[in-house]
Amino acid sequence: MAQHFSLAACDVVGFDLDHTLCRYNLPESAPLIYNSFAQFLVKEKGYDKELLNVTPEDWDFCCKGLALDLEDGNFLKLANNGTVLRASHGTKMMTAEVLAEAYGKKEWKHFLSDTGMACRSGKYYFYDNYFDLPGALLCARVVDYLTKQNNGQKTFDFWKDIVAAIQHNYKMSAFKENCGIYFPEIKRDPGRYLHSCPESVKKWLRQLKNAGKILLLITSSHSDYCRLLCEYILGNDFTDLFDIVITNALKPGFFSHLPSQRPFRTLENDEEQEALPSLDKPGWYSQGNAVHLYELLKKMTGKPEPKVVYFGDSMHSDIFPARHYSNWETVLILEELRGDEGARSQRPEESEPLEKKGKYEGPKAKPLNTSSRKWGSFFIDSVLGLENTEDSLVYTWSCKRISTYSTIAIPSIEAIAELPLDYKFTRFSSSNSKTAGYYPDPPLVLSSDETLISK
């Protein structure tokens, strides 16, 4: 494989929407998501009202890449070999001794080293995007509450209530019906929660279009919410930018399912219509599958194997399936690299602990894209050495997946919008260093001597 990747060499450029083209104001959006689920649990399912009270310090629990064992209520941070680096029961972090006794040096029982490792299962849940993360804090606090209420309860069955809370707030009709808390609040004050696309990004999208690229938008958000987001971040003429818009794409199934399992549907007034036997022309569609989409892209480009690149923020829904099932080039939007930008310029006095100010003071909380004091770096962690030996550094499972399935990783689209389209990015590959594909810089924790990190 070539050492470099260039947008100029691609025929088709596809985008996820949420947290990719549309960046959220995380200190505001995270408490909103948390509150929308917590209110449902308290009002509809009888959970403790204390769940509604969140302090800025509580947000330090949130860290992408954690797995929740749904049976025992433990949260886990995994090494690239599947062993457990850190763990908590609810929000209570396990000591090194308790961790060693519970998990030892063995692979976690649900870990699969190959690509068969799902991120969603009846037994566990992986938190890999910023819509998910507030739910991690809520679930951890639910475990705390149930453990305390039931004198050290060992097994848990709260997940069905979390799923009901998600359904209530995000079901297909929720936007239209003003159901739940999330959509009504975004509609009321979009500027509080969303960042408009900078002019540089709008110009870049037009530049791609003018260079003859086919532009796709593939989002699991429903059409009505997608329209609100795009009009706010790009303007009312956003549809002129995209040849094909696919909403309610139900990723990762969009990539992994057969056409017969997930046909495309047309839309009328945001309502899904009949299933289509194939995709014959550009336009706005719902659901669908990558196989039929690729057949249309062949027709549109006149090429037997058009080259597609897809930008997304979720390893589970975007990057892994687009690479693994469709063999597309993939650009991971990794806001943890933005968190590094803050750390590079932060003055010592700015890192003082925050005062407790009461509930939902999101803007004073630790940004979700910065390193957690509880969980440490998203990219690496230390493994306790044996007696008389030093601790060693290892890559996390999340970090390994970045270099395995992403072509490159960037902090935001804005970070590359002013580069020429034929700019040659160094790609992740087995022949390059583990940090080669990060642009513009590798994470701070990886930019020191790579030889110190165990493979």
Side-chain angles (χ1 to χ4, degrees), residues 74 87-89 92-104:
N74 290 349
S88 71
H89 182 68
K92 190 174 188 302
M93 298 303 294
M94 293 184 187
T95 63
E97 294 73 28
V98 172
L99 183 70
E101 189 179 331
Y103 297 104

Side-chain angles (χ1 to χ4, degrees), residues 216-273:
L216 316 174
L217 186 61
I218 308 175
T219 173
S220 291
S221 287
H222 298 303
S223 55
D224 42 17
Y225 185 51
C226 170
R227 188 176 293 105
L228 178 147
L229 294 182
C230 288
E231 286 179 354
Y232 184 82
I233 67 167
L234 291 168
N236 293 341
D237 59 349
F238 76 91
T239 50
D240 296 345
L241 289 169
F242 300 103
D243 298 275
I244 301 169
V245 175
I246 300 164
T247 52
N248 194 28
L250 303 170
K251 297 175 291 182
F254 179 86
F255 296 103
S256 61
H257 282 29
L258 297 170
S260 58
Q261 296 172 293
R262 191 67 63 72
F264 279 97
R265 295 177 182 275
T266 54
L267 284 160
E268 205 168 289
N269 298 322
D270 295 317
E271 299 286 338
E272 291 183 343
Q273 305 300 303

Side-chain angles (χ1 to χ4, degrees), residues 155-389:
T155 57
F156 297 87
D157 189 29
F158 62 84
W159 188 247
K160 63 183 185 303
D161 296 333
I162 301 293
V163 171
I166 294 168
Q167 276 291 325
H168 177 69
N169 280 280
Y170 290 129
K171 63 187 177 186
M172 196 163 186
S173 60
F175 186 93
K176 191 174 284 185
E177 296 168 359
N178 276 327
C179 185
I181 289 172
Y182 182 82
F183 288 133
E185 179 60 17
I186 296 276
K187 284 184 191 177
R188 187 188 70 77
D189 192 1
R192 181 176 176 183
Y193 302 101
L194 310 174
H195 291 301
S196 289
C197 274
E199 279 306 316
S200 62
V201 172
K202 296 178 189 176
K203 185 178 173 186
W204 178 77
L205 291 169
R206 288 191 292 269
Q207 190 184 356
L208 287 167
K209 187 96 170 153
N210 293 338
K213 311 299 179 191
I214 292 171
L215 266 56
L216 316 174
L217 186 61
I218 308 175
T219 173
S220 291
S221 287
H222 298 303
S223 55
D224 42 17
Y225 185 51
C226 170
R227 188 176 293 105
L228 178 147
L229 294 182
C230 288
E231 286 179 354
Y232 184 82
I233 67 167
L234 291 168
N236 293 341
D237 59 349
F238 76 91
T239 50
D240 296 345
L241 289 169
F242 300 103
D243 298 275
I244 301 169
V245 175
I246 300 164
T247 52
N248 194 28
L250 303 170
K251 297 175 291 182
F254 179 86
F255 296 103
S256 61
H257 282 29
L258 297 170
S260 58
Q261 296 172 293
R262 191 67 63 72
F264 279 97
R265 295 177 182 275
T266 54
L267 284 160
E268 205 168 289
N269 298 322
D270 295 317
E271 299 286 338
E272 291 183 343
Q273 305 300 303
E274 77 285 349
L276 300 173
S278 62
L279 197 62
D280 297 325
K281 60 184 180 184
W284 190 314
Y285 299 95
S286 193
Q287 298 198 37
N289 61 86
V291 174
H292 278 169
L293 172 62
Y294 197 63
E295 290 303 313
L296 175 59
L297 295 175
K298 288 179 188 178
K299 283 202 305 191
M300 291 174 70
T301 59
K303 295 183 177 182
E305 293 186 353
K307 188 170 181 178
V308 185
V309 59
Y310 187 63
F311 288 70
D313 70 295
S314 169
M315 181 58 66
H316 166 67
S317 300
D318 300 318
I319 302 304
F320 168 73
R323 169 61 56 84
H324 181 66
Y325 296 107
S326 299
N327 200 30
W328 290 359
E329 300 278 16
T330 52
V331 178
L332 175 65
I333 304 296
L334 190 63
E335 288 210 33
E336 282 65 23
L337 297 175
R338 291 182 67 89
D340 263 7
E341 289 168 13
R344 287 174 205 273
S345 60
Q346 189 179 57
R347 296 190 301 273
E349 65 269 20
E350 290 176 328
S351 60
E352 290 299 304
L354 295 155
E355 264 187 300
K356 288 193 177 183
K357 293 285 179 73
K359 67 176 184 176
Y360 306 130
E361 293 227 352
K364 301 289 190 294
K366 174 195 84 73
L368 295 192
N369 59 7
T370 57
S371 199
S372 159
R373 289 187 292 275
K374 276 191 168 76
W375 294 103
S377 168
F378 172 73
F379 302 97
I380 57 171
D381 213 336
S382 56
V383 176
L384 291 174
L386 301 170
E387 205 172 336
N388 300 324
T389 63

